Amino acid sequence: MKQGVIIAFMGKTQDRFCEYNSPKTTLEKLQMVQRVKGFDGVEMVFPHETTTPAGINQMMSDLGLHWAAINVNVKKDPQFVPGSLSRPVKQIREDAVAMIKSAKDFAKAVGAPLVTCCPLSDGYDMLFQIDYQTAWKYMIETIGEAADYLPEIPLFLEPKYSEVRVHCQLDSTSKALLLLKEVGNPNTGITLDLGHSIQSQENPAQMLVTTIESGFDAYIHTNDNDTKADWDLVGGSRHFLNYVELLFWAKECGYNKYFTTDASPRIFNIIDFFERHAEVSLGIWNLVNKLDPKKYRRLMAEENYNELMSLVTREIYRVQ
């Protein structure tokens, strides 16, 4: 199991009320990743954490770290705060697409396998706020153009129900898949964030399989929440069985990318927090590898629910 982390969480974070931890340079964040037992993968935010490809790769090499993804941030710049890829202002849309293209250039230069984008500022807060027809049309056009550029660097979209908009444009895995179907580019995929999927009242394992069976690739972010907000908690701390089932199906689908941690320490010690996440994730992965998938899938095909639940009790919960 390859585990990594979005390194932005190694430094200063904030919500509407508080700031957490101290600001850190990209090098300091990478040094912290190296200290976490179980992590060696890096997802870096473009352009805010990047410098020159040579300089970044030297840091990564010196610390023995590897690329999980480049995360392009099309929501932080002032012009993108109200939205980026679906805005009615053409220049703003073009600037957002240009940023994604630049992120692909950077990913190719450093050898990162993919670019992921979570367009959180695209959506709406109030009813009658946006023109749904043009917003959807613009999303197809902008994502299509970005996906066509440097097809060898695939573009992954990360859906989320809400935040920073009350209602995000890509508010579910299904809607993101519909968008990719409209775009029609095979060099695209879904970043399946376990917590986002749960917040959208989805089953993450089912959405992983649905993504792959729909002909698209998947990249997994791990965390947990209480379904009411995206708290980015330690994986398995609220939805243990969902996490087990997701890793079960990841194994069945031949998933071979990083399981990248999208979790926020906030009040907790950063290293300790991520080590707890790394160890529970690896523990669940090891548990999944001890299960007999042929037996589980045979019982599913037979609709033998009673025996399946008995297996879950004995082999996963281990309470018998």
Side-chain angles (χ1 to χ4, degrees):
M1 182 186 200
K2 301 187 298 185
Q3 292 195 70
V5 65
I6 300 175
I7 65 169
F9 292 110
M10 293 293 180
K12 178 182 174 182
T13 58
Q14 63 188 63
D15 56 28
R16 290 189 297 165
F17 305 106
C18 301
E19 295 182 349
Y20 308 96
N21 300 305
S22 59
K24 293 180 178 65
T25 64
T26 296
L27 176 59
E28 289 171 330
K29 293 174 185 177
L30 293 175
Q31 289 170 334
M32 292 193 74
V33 176
Q34 187 194 42
R35 291 172 55 195
V36 179
K37 296 175 184 176
F39 283 2
D40 70 351
V42 169
E43 182 174 317
M44 187 177 292
V45 177
F46 180 91
H48 305 96
E49 293 176 324
T50 60
T51 56
T52 65
I56 291 292
N57 266 354
Q58 188 64 57
M59 296 180 200
M60 295 278 287
S61 177
D62 290 345
L63 295 168
L65 300 175
H66 305 282
W67 288 107
I70 297 298
N71 185 319
V72 58
N73 188 347
V74 290
K75 62 183 180 297
K76 186 172 183 178
D77 289 3
Q79 67 168 334
F80 297 148
V81 169
S84 57
L85 296 166
S86 63
R87 292 281 293 286
V89 183
K90 184 178 180 181
Q91 186 60 57
I92 291 176
R93 299 196 309 274
E94 290 178 347
D95 290 347
V97 171
M99 183 177 285
I100 297 175
K101 290 180 178 179
S102 295
K104 283 191 163 193
D105 288 331
F106 185 84
K108 183 174 181 178
V110 298
L114 61 93
V115 166
T116 182
C117 180
C118 191
L120 298 180
S121 65
D122 285 284
Y124 55 92
D125 300 315
M126 299 176 293
L127 302 183
F128 285 96
Q129 179 180 336
I130 67 171
D131 183 327
Y132 305 125
Q133 288 180 325
T134 57
W136 185 248
K137 180 185 74 172
Y138 290 145
M139 285 292 288
I140 295 170
E141 290 177 356
T142 53
I143 294 300
E145 182 181 347
D148 286 342
Y149 182 75
L150 279 187
E152 64 269 32
I153 303 295
L155 177 61
F156 284 65
L157 295 181
E158 182 176 355
K160 185 175 183 180
Y161 181 75
S162 64
E163 193 187 35
V164 294
R165 296 283 72 77
V166 172
H167 206 115
C168 294
Q169 184 71 249
L170 300 182
D171 57 2
S172 68
T173 307
S174 298
K175 192 172 289 183
L177 283 172
L178 176 61
L179 180 71
L180 293 185
K181 287 282 190 181
E182 292 290 331
V183 168
N185 189 320
N187 302 302
T188 54
I190 296 292
T191 298
L192 181 70
D193 183 292
L194 194 155
H196 294 185
S197 186
I198 288 172
Q199 187 189 13
S200 294
Q201 303 300 308
E202 297 175 344
N203 178 343
Q206 181 187 24
M207 290 300 100
L208 172 65
V209 174
T210 301
T211 296
I212 293 170
E213 290 299 308
S214 297
F216 295 100
D217 203 355
Y219 168 56
I220 296 175
H221 280 175
T222 57
N223 49 47
D224 208 340
N225 62 51
D226 65 350
T227 76
K228 295 179 175 62
D230 184 37
W231 294 108
D232 287 333
L233 305 175
V234 166
S237 57
R238 292 294 185 109
H239 292 85
F240 174 76
L241 194 58
N242 283 100
Y243 201 2
V244 177
E245 189 187 37
L246 175 63
L247 296 195
F248 174 92
W249 281 104
K251 183 173 180 286
E252 286 296 281
C253 293
Y255 183 83
N256 61 2
K257 299 181 187 62
Y258 272 89
F259 291 91
T260 299
T261 310
D262 186 341
S264 181
R266 290 188 298 277
I267 64 172
F268 303 105
N269 175 276
I270 294 176
I271 300 298
D272 290 346
F273 176 88
F274 284 117
E275 286 190 347
R276 299 295 76 73
H277 178 88
E279 68 186 11
V280 73
S281 299
L282 180 59
I284 292 174
W285 182 250
N286 290 338
L287 170 63
V288 164
N289 278 278
K290 293 177 182 177
L291 303 178
D292 181 353
K294 292 182 180 178
K295 178 168 59 176
Y296 278 77
R297 296 190 70 171
R298 174 177 57 80
L299 293 171
M300 292 172 192
E302 295 172 356
E303 297 187 333
N304 191 339
Y305 314 126
N306 186 61
E307 180 58 25
L308 279 165
M309 292 305 98
S310 180
L311 278 178
V312 169
T313 300
R314 296 194 313 270
E315 296 185 353
I316 298 176
Y317 284 127
R318 299 184 178 183
V319 293
Q320 282 188 359

